[in-house]
Amino acid sequence: KQEVTQIPAALSVPEGENLVLNCSFTDSAIYNLQWFRQDPGKGLTSLLLIQSSQREQTSGRLNASLDKSSGRSTLYIAASQPGDSATYLCAVTGGTSGSRLTFGEGTQLTVNP
Amino acid sequence: DARVTQTPRHKVTEMGQEVTMRCQPILGHNTVFWYRQTMMQGLELLAYFRNRAPLDDSGMPKDRFSAEMPDATLATLKIQPSEPRDSAVYFCASGLGSFEQFFGPGTRLTVL
């Protein structure tokens, strides 16, 4: 059974700092990996999708990398802003999970002004 | 601006009552998912459809939950009878095949 782990569970940083969120998964036979953002009481916003054949994806200040063989992904946020404060979720499809997304528990990020 | 819509956004009901949640996937998407989010369990899949056919409903308590897609523009999730432990946020997501999934705003269900 696929398991996804995110470290750290919570992170508090001053504005302007670059930061890295970590995600690991147990079954490397994934189709893709998706990073989401969730604001309190809101739905999930898709940030980046990395296909299993890709190594990284970039969108603005966000860069996600994927090392499928080691079962790891990182989300890099450059020059963090208070508006980046949210919970960041990593999820994978594939392997024994098929098309379903298997989620990590999330990293709760607070960026202080 | 294509997005997944869900109704109702909030629902408060009493134990034993029937609850129906609706989802309109993004036009053209052929895969629809129902997820549930709780503090204890996090996000977990309940069921999903491809081309309106149910592919996996193993995450759903079948004695009380049912999911259907009457047509390509509507997915429903029904709970009958509802119980307090069903209180959660229910998300619908849609996508094209096994690619990126887009989530709706969720239905926050409270069963008293």
Side-chain angles (χ1 to χ4, degrees):
Chain A
K1 178 188 171 188
Q2 178 74 272
E3 293 182 1
V4 180
T5 304
Q6 290 187 246
I7 295 173
L11 183 62
S12 181
V13 300
E15 181 177 4
E17 193 162 298
N18 302 325
L19 56 99
V20 174
L21 307 181
N22 297 291
C23 171
S24 62
F25 46 93
T26 54
D27 183 351
S28 62
I30 62 169
Y31 297 151
N32 57 53
L33 183 144
Q34 202 166 347
W35 282 94
F36 294 90
R37 167 187 174 137
Q38 186 173 30
D39 293 282
K42 303 291 186 182
L44 279 71
T45 300
S46 178
L47 297 173
L48 289 164
L49 172 78
I50 311 178
Q51 302 287 357
S52 61
S53 59
Q54 298 174 321
R55 299 281 295 184
E56 66 176 343
Q57 283 287 330
T58 298
S59 176
R61 294 181 295 107
L62 305 180
N63 176 276
S65 68
L66 173 64
D67 184 342
K68 204 173 106 166
S69 61
S70 68
R72 294 181 183 178
S73 175
T74 61
L75 179 66
Y76 175 83
I77 302 177
S80 58
Q81 303 171 356
D84 295 330
S85 298
T87 296
Y88 290 79
L89 293 153
C90 163
V92 298
T93 63
T96 54
S97 300
S99 292
R100 71 169 66 192
L101 280 166
T102 301
F103 284 88
E105 294 296 315
T107 294
Q108 187 172 356
L109 173 66
T110 303
V111 181
N112 301 300
Chain B
D1 184 23
R3 59 183 68 188
V4 177
T5 59
Q6 290 185 247
T7 57
R9 295 292 312 279
H10 302 273
K11 176 73 176 178
V12 180
T13 190
E14 293 189 348
M15 182 173 65
Q17 296 298 306
E18 178 178 301
V19 175
T20 299
M21 291 169 269
R22 294 177 174 80
C23 166
Q24 182 172 10
I26 292 172
L27 190 65
H29 283 183
N30 66 346
T31 311
V32 176
F33 305 82
W34 283 105
Y35 292 91
R36 176 170 63 183
Q37 186 175 38
T38 61
M39 290 294 292
M40 294 298 294
Q41 301 293 328
L43 271 157
E44 53 185 355
L45 180 78
L46 296 174
Y48 80 94
F49 296 79
R50 180 157 295 155
N51 298 320
R52 295 177 55 202
L55 285 194
D56 185 351
D57 61 1
S58 59
M60 209 163 63
K62 300 206 184 39
D63 57 336
R64 298 184 301 107
F65 284 59
S66 62
E68 296 180 345
M69 278 203 74
D71 61 62
T73 65
L74 176 65
T76 63
L77 180 65
K78 189 175 296 187
I79 307 174
Q80 167 63 20
S82 58
E83 297 181 1
R85 58 179 168 151
D86 300 329
S87 297
V89 181
Y90 291 81
F91 288 106
C92 174
S94 72
L96 202 54
S98 299
F99 296 100
E100 192 169 7
Q101 294 185 25
F102 296 88
F103 280 67
T107 294
R108 184 174 296 275
L109 174 65
T110 302
V111 184
L112 303 174

